[in-house]
Amino acid sequence: MSGHSKWHNIQQAKGKADAARGKIFTKIGREIAVAVKAGGPDPASNAALRAVIDKAKANNMPKDNINRSIQKASGELGSINYESIVYEGYGTNGVAVIVEALTDNKNRTGGEVRHIFDKAGGSLGTSGCVSYMFDTKGVITVEKKAGMDDDEMMMTALDAGAEDFDADDDYYEIITSPSDFASVRDAISTAGIEYASAEIRRIPQNTIRLEAEDRDKLLKMLDAFEDNDDVQEVYHNAEYDEDGEE
C-alpha cells in the first residue's frame, strides 16, 4: 500500500497530541451529539453513532462518559444545532491541509480557522482546492496478538469486502470504501477479532517531504487547529521525520 504507512505515522502523531491536551473527549462528545440527533440514541440501529463510539473507545474514553454523552445528546443538548464545515488550505511549503469542524457559529469558527492559517504563514483556500488530493476511505486497525496469522487475517478482511490490507510488526490495517466500511467492520467483529480503531479518514494520494524547520512550522499550525474545540479532524499530505516533534 504505497503511502499508507506514511499516512498512518502522521495520524498517530496527531492522535498522541490530541490525547496529551485532553481535548479529544470534548470533540468526540460533539460528534456523538450530531450522530444521535441524526439517527437516534441506539447504536444498534445508528451506524454513525457506532462509528463514533468505536472512536471514543480507541481514545480510551470511559464507558460512563460515552453513555452520558449519548444521554445529554438525547436531552438538553438535542436543541444545539452543530453544522459540519470543511475548510481547505495550504500550510508551509505548499502542504495541503483539510480542517473538518462541527460548530454552532460558523462565522466564529471560520474567522478562527483563517487566523490560524495566516499566523502559520499558510492560507485558507476555496472549497475543493486540495480535497481532490485525498481519498476518503474506511480504515480499520487491528493490533497483532499472539496466534494471529497474517494470511488468515488478510483473507478475512478481503472476503468481508476490504479493498486493501497492510501488515507491520504491530498492527494490521484494513482499507475499505466508505460504502463498505460498516459491513467490513462488523464482519471483522463477528469473526471474533477485536479492532483497535475503525474510522472514515482522508488519505493523501501523495506526500510532500518537509525538513525540520518547515516540519516545526506545520506542527505548530496543527497544534493550534487541534486546540480549537470546533475542529474535529485535521488532515495534511506532509511527510517528515518525527524526531523532535513533541
Side-chain angles (χ1 to χ4, degrees):
M1 291 187 52
S2 176
H4 182 63
S5 293
K6 297 173 184 176
W7 167 84
H8 177 71
N9 291 338
I10 290 167
Q11 294 305 319
Q12 287 295 99
K14 183 188 75 63
K16 288 188 293 184
D18 271 337
R21 280 185 293 275
K23 286 182 171 287
I24 192 65
F25 290 179
T26 298
K27 296 174 186 288
I28 291 175
R30 190 171 293 193
E31 289 187 57
I32 288 175
V34 171
V36 168
K37 184 169 184 179
D42 183 5
S45 58
N46 185 340
L49 180 57
R50 286 205 307 276
V52 180
I53 291 174
D54 285 341
K55 182 177 180 179
K57 291 178 179 178
N59 283 278
N60 299 315
M61 188 172 184
K63 185 177 180 180
D64 287 346
N65 291 42
I66 296 172
N67 290 336
R68 281 198 298 270
S69 294
I70 294 173
Q71 291 167 0
K72 288 180 179 179
S74 302
E76 63 265 28
L77 290 184
S79 61
I80 298 177
N81 292 314
Y82 289 116
E83 183 176 358
S84 176
I85 304 178
V86 177
Y87 302 94
E88 302 179 36
Y90 301 90
T92 181
N93 205 32
V95 168
V97 180
I98 297 178
V99 179
E100 295 180 350
L102 288 175
T103 179
D104 57 354
N105 186 330
K106 62 181 181 180
N107 291 329
R108 178 197 68 222
T109 304
E112 292 173 351
V113 168
R114 181 182 295 276
H115 175 71
I116 293 170
F117 270 114
D118 291 344
K119 187 176 181 181
S123 61
L124 178 64
T126 58
S127 177
C129 69
V130 301
S131 57
Y132 71 93
M133 302 179 190
F134 295 76
D135 294 322
T136 300
K137 297 291 182 181
V139 182
I140 303 167
T141 304
V142 176
E143 184 177 1
K144 279 190 176 182
K145 296 182 179 178
M148 284 186 168
D149 180 82
D150 291 1
D151 290 338
E152 288 183 5
M153 187 67 203
M154 180 177 67
M155 292 310 302
T156 298
L158 296 179
D159 287 346
E163 289 185 348
D164 211 341
F165 177 88
D166 190 27
D168 60 24
D169 292 338
D170 300 311
Y171 288 93
Y172 299 111
E173 289 185 332
I174 300 160
I175 308 302
T176 79
S177 67
S179 59
D180 290 334
F181 168 70
S183 60
V184 174
R185 177 200 60 199
D186 292 347
I188 293 295
S189 182
T190 300
I193 301 167
E194 183 179 353
Y195 49 83
S197 65
E199 296 182 87
I200 301 292
R201 312 291 299 183
R202 297 179 190 257
I203 302 177
Q205 297 166 0
N206 297 289
T207 58
I208 294 176
R209 176 73 183 179
L210 296 184
E211 299 306 324
E213 183 177 352
D214 286 334
R215 174 204 64 197
D216 292 345
K217 289 179 182 178
L218 177 69
L219 290 174
K220 286 181 180 179
M221 182 175 72
L222 299 180
D223 285 345
F225 280 133
E226 292 169 357
D227 276 336
N228 187 302
D229 285 342
D230 293 340
V231 173
Q232 297 299 112
E233 298 288 349
V234 182
Y235 302 96
H236 61 80
N237 67 343
E239 176 192 354
Y240 48 78
D241 292 331
E242 296 186 13
D243 292 344
E245 73 179 20
E246 295 179 350

